């Protein structure tokens, strides 16, 4: 009874809030960083004072306040009209006021770590160093990673704490209890857990009990997947539904400590998961105070926002000031140019690429022709069934010239489909459901847009997806045979395939839409068809019609690549605790590789040569990143100077910009991007020797086509570890080139003793 009274009270409060708060728009009012000795009550009263001045009463001001950020980040979120927001933005002490974005969590591992280690060793098993890296880092046992996501399923074997040492004394967080989650669910692996609902419920209403747990417990699966990819324990014989991807599941840092911050919630069964900025910023505030060393954020949207209007950028800037590494997914809106998100230069933005594993399913056509498809749907070999093309079995008037053959819901005729295999031009969950609804016994799906990048889902009927070129083969067979048939064979896991990696078809691309003079994404890592732990509260497809339960599931997205890099960042922090977050990003980028496992340049899913707009510096190489030779370091002040050049230095009002501000390209970044170059530009870089004392590095340059690149000096001499040396890079337009088109080059410093410090160059002319 108490539970229902609480819900009723909440509904009444929400209705009252809606009446008082006029237009239901949530704004974040950013005030910088806390200083002085104000207590919690004084901070909240200070925040109320801003609202009181634009609201009709103190009560209304208090009612419209959603979050009050009280620890590190100074600010609050509240209901405001656009006019009120404008008024507050003009008040003393206010840095920025912006609409809080309700970001959509788009799905942005037994083999991925083995593949990464093998790729780094160029396929030579005797040179694989992954275990040595883990031993050197003590498996990450003293590092705390904060995971901002959809929560966690604590019962998963990936999160057992058997044999782990006591929780680090530096930890200051808590284990927040809630529905189906109590303090016993935290242990020496999951050392803390919190959940954030204020913004979500203020804007979207109470969490629906059938859809979500009002606690850190994960209903969606996404947060469990990312957390186990970072720090899951080694679990033998793990696999997805049907035994696919069988092997030992492990996170990249198996003994790392996990702190869970649930900021993402699912409103309805068919809706995407939402992660409001206001709640995310509150989680940043807590995570920094709690003492995390790395923050992993597999959350993105469809577009990037100016730094002063981006909760992730603001939160990560405060983290950066304390040398907390923040790793984010680059987004899943590719392959559209300039679709990359999470583009602030003080965080690591990660693209997604494949590994050397496929799930092959054979299709035998009635004429004996064999076509190889891809599937993770468990089924037995089918009989030889009639094969039809969706175009020929549609309900008249239900499709157009643009949608015919797509198997959209409600388009297929039961009379014409029953008992047959249907070929659909595209294949997602909804297409499989439509074939099932119409009585089809199996489905074959085309893959017209994603090349060889098949996004695997366990369908609810036998089904397989063919690669782009094989669709025409199947359609031609259907059209030229009176009684076409097909037999589908169950899928099997094949490892060691190539070329790999290739870029995932969905991975978001540069150039950076906020500041094109900073290259984003920074790096790529495995993000296509990755196996990791899953919630047992939702089926693998998250469909209401799906009643299957799994402990491990296959998912794809930059959400999956991000935690790979987070894990390695944790290992590097363990090995080099004195390195800054910039130094760790530099070590990852400058040791990355641009070639695949057959020693040719990495391509996109269609087979075209990929560029730094796909992968940044390249595919990460964890063991090499632990010993990069040189690093490009940057301090909090360096980033403020960068903000001066970008016109957003007001994010820290205590900093005064110099009269002569360096251009954005001058930030000491491990890559070089120059947009709209007019003639010639010279920038400087400084590297710090983190290798052996006496060393000499020589530069090599591959200039972008149509440009000259000159680096001086051409040699750098170091007499001790920790020594810094600077050099200049002059880029000049050398001939007739297409305006605004970006060209790509690179430079590298080599000591001849195994250290090659690589940097991509991206340039366009005005």
């Amino acid at each position: 009874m108490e539970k229902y009274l609480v819900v009723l009270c909440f509904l009444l409060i929400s209705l009252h809030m809606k009446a008082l708060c006029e237009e239901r728009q949530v704004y974040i009012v950013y005030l910088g960083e806390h200083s002085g000795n104000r207590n919690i009550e004084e901070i909240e009263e200070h925040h109320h004072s801003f609202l009181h001045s634009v609201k009709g009463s103190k009560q209304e001001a208090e009612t419209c306040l959603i979050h009050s950020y009280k620890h590190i980040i100074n600010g609050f979120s509240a209901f405001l009209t656009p006019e009120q927001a404008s008024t507050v933005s003009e008040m003393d002490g206010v840095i920025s006021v912006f609409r809080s974005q309700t970001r959509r969590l788009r799905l942005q591992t037994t083999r991925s770590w083995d593949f990464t280690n093998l790729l780094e060793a160029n396929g030579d098993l005797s040179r694989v160093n992954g275990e040595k890296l883990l031993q050197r880092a003590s498996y990450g046992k003293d590092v705390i990673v904060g995971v901002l996501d959809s929560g966690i399923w604590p019962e998963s074997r990936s999160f057992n704490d058997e044999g782990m040492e006591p929780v680090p004394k530096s930890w200051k967080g808590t284990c927040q209890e809630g529905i189906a989650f109590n303090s016993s669910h935290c242990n020496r692996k999951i050392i803390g857990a919190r959940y954030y609902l204020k913004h979500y419920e203020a804007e979207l209403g109470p969490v629906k009990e059938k859809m979500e747990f009002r606690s850190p417990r994960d209903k969606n699966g996404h947060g469990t997947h990312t957390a186990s990819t970072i720090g899951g324990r080694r679990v033998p014989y793990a696999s997805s539904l049907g035994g696919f991807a069988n092997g030992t599941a492990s996170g990249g840092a198996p003994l790392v400590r996990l702190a869970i911050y649930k900021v993402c919630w699912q409103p309805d069964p068919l809706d995407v998961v939402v992660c409001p900025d206001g709640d995310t910023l509150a989680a940043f505030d807590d995570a920094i105070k709690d003492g995390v060393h790395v923050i992993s954020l597999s959350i993105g949207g469809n577009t990037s926002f100016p730094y002063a209007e981006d909760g992730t950028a603001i939160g990560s800037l405060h983290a950066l000031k304390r040398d907390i590494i923040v790793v984010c997914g680059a987004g899943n809106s590719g392959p559209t140019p300039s679709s990359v998100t999470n583009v602030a230069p003080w965080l690591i933005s990660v693209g997604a690429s494949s590994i050397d594993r496929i799930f092959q399913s054979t299709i035998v056509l009635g004429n004996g022709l064999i076509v190889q498809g891809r599937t993770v749907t468990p089924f037995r070999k089918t009989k030889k069934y009639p094969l039809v093309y969706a175009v020929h079995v549609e309900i008249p008037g239900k499709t157009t010239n643009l949608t015919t053959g797509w198997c959209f819901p409600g388009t297929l005729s039961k009379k014409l489909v029953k008992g047959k295999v249907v070929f659909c031009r595209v294949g997602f969950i909804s297409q499989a459901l439509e074939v099932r609804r119409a009585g089809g016994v199996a489905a074959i799906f085309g893959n017209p847009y994603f090349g060889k990048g098949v996004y695997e889902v366990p369908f609810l009927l036998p089904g397989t997806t063919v690669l782009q070129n094989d669709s025409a083969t199947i359609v031609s067979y259907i059209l030229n045979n009176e009684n076409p048939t097909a037999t589908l064979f169950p899928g099997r896991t094949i490892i060691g395939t190539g070329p790999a990696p290739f870029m995932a078809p969905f991975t978001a691309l540069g150039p950076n839409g906020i500041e094109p003079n900073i290259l984003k994404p920074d790096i790529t890592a495995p993000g296509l068809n990755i196996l990791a732990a899953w919630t047992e509260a939702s089926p693998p497809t998250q469909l209401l019609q799906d009643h299957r339960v799994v402990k491990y599931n296959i998912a794809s997205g930059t959400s999956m690549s991000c935690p790979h890099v987070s894990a390695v960042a944790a290992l590097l922090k363990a090995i080099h605790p004195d390195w800054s977050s910039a130094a760790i990003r530099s070590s990852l980028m400058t040791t990355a590789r641009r070639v695949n496992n057959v020693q040719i340049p990495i391509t996109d899913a269609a087979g075209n040569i990929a560029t730094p707009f796909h992968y940044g510096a390249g595919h990460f190489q964890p063991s090499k990143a632990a010993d990069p030779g040189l690093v490009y370091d940057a301090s909090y002040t360096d980033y403020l100077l960068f903000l001066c050049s970008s016109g957003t230095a007001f994010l820290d009002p205590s900093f005064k910009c110099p009269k002569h501000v360096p251009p954005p390209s001058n930030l000491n970044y491990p890559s070089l991007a120059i947009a709209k170059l007019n003639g010639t530009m010279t920038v400087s870089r400084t590297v710090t020797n983190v290798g052996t004392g006496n060393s000499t590095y020589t530069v090599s340059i591959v200039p972008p086509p149509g440009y000259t690149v000159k680096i001086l000096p051409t040699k750098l001499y170091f007499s001790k570890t920790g020594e810094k040396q600077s050099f200049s890079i002059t880029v000049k337009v050398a001939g007739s080139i297409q305006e605004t088109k970006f060209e790509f080059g690179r430079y590298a410093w080599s000591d001849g003793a195994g250290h090659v410090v690589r940097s991509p160059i991206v340039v366009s002319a005005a």
Side-chain angles (χ1 to χ4, degrees), residues 625-695:
D627 182 22
L630 306 174
V631 295
Y632 293 83
D633 209 350
S635 66
Y636 179 68
T637 300
D638 291 326
Y639 291 113
L640 294 182
L641 280 171
F642 163 80
L643 289 173
C644 290
S645 66
S646 297
T648 48
F650 57 83
L651 281 178
D652 187 339
S654 68
F655 184 78
K656 304 302 178 185
C657 292
K659 287 185 179 179
H660 302 289
V661 177
S665 300
N666 208 64
L667 177 65
N668 201 41
Y669 214 69
S671 57
L672 174 61
I674 302 175
K676 299 181 180 179
L677 175 63
N678 188 5
T680 303
M681 175 179 280
T682 299
V683 299
S684 66
R685 290 289 188 270
T686 299
V687 287
T688 304
N689 180 23
V690 294
T692 55
N694 291 310
S695 54

Side-chain angles (χ1 to χ4, degrees), residues 40-227:
I40 298 297
E41 291 75 19
E42 289 170 335
I43 291 170
E44 194 160 295
E45 183 60 32
H46 178 59
H47 294 165
H48 283 151
S49 68
F50 290 95
L51 292 172
H52 193 190
S53 63
V54 295
K55 299 291 183 180
S57 66
K58 185 176 181 180
Q59 179 189 10
E60 189 178 346
E62 292 177 355
T63 303
C64 291
L65 181 71
I66 300 171
H67 275 294
S68 182
Y69 309 123
K70 304 182 182 77
H71 303 305
I72 309 297
I73 300 166
N74 189 5
F76 59 91
S77 60
F79 285 116
L80 294 169
T81 66
E83 293 76 17
Q84 290 168 345
S86 178
T87 300
V88 172
S89 70
E90 299 296 325
M91 294 179 181
D92 289 343
V94 174
I95 294 174
S96 65
V97 178
F98 57 96
R99 278 293 308 276
S100 176
Q101 303 298 321
T102 302
R103 299 169 191 264
R104 267 56 184 173
L105 190 85
R106 301 179 184 275
L107 290 175
Q108 288 216 292
T109 146
T110 53
R111 179 62 185 176
S112 60
W113 293 111
D114 289 342
F115 166 68
T116 296
N117 294 330
L118 192 62
L119 182 69
E120 188 171 353
N122 288 318
D124 185 347
L125 287 171
S126 67
R127 295 174 56 204
V128 170
N129 291 319
E131 193 64 27
K132 291 180 182 177
L133 174 68
L134 287 170
Q135 292 170 357
R136 189 177 170 194
S138 299
Y139 298 84
K141 69 181 180 68
D142 294 322
V143 179
I144 303 167
V145 179
V147 185
L148 277 61
D149 213 296
S150 67
I152 197 161
W153 189 260
E155 290 83 3
S156 172
R157 289 183 295 164
S158 290
F159 306 125
N160 85 80
D161 67 349
E162 183 179 351
M164 292 188 69
E165 295 180 8
V167 174
K169 292 181 179 179
S170 62
W171 174 244
K172 301 179 182 68
T174 189
C175 190
Q176 184 180 3
E177 297 190 343
I179 301 297
F181 196 96
N182 57 49
S183 59
S184 69
H185 289 116
C186 291
N187 55 17
R188 288 169 293 180
K189 164 58 69 177
I190 305 170
I191 63 171
R194 299 176 185 264
Y195 66 98
Y196 302 82
L197 269 172
K198 288 183 178 180
H199 181 164
Y200 175 91
E201 293 193 321
E203 194 161 19
L204 298 174
V207 163
K208 298 175 182 177
E209 288 189 17
K210 290 184 178 180
M211 287 306 306
E212 272 288 3
F213 296 104
R214 194 180 179 83
S215 74
R217 183 173 288 277
D218 183 15
K219 181 68 179 289
N220 175 264
H222 189 277
T224 299
H225 199 284
T226 58

Side-chain angles (χ1 to χ4, degrees), residues 362-371 384 387 444 470 473-478 481 484-489:
T362 300
I363 304 164
V364 178
L365 302 179
N367 61 359
L369 187 64
I370 295 175
V371 177
K384 183 187 289 187
L387 173 64
I444 302 171
D470 291 323
T473 300
I474 293 173
V475 172
S476 176
Y477 165 69
I478 294 172
N481 285 268
T485 62
T487 304
L488 276 63
F489 287 76

Side-chain angles (χ1 to χ4, degrees), residues 296-315:
S296 186
L297 191 76
S298 290
I299 300 171
N302 294 323
T303 187
S304 50
F305 297 93
Y307 308 130
E309 301 173 15
D310 184 340
T312 298
I314 290 171

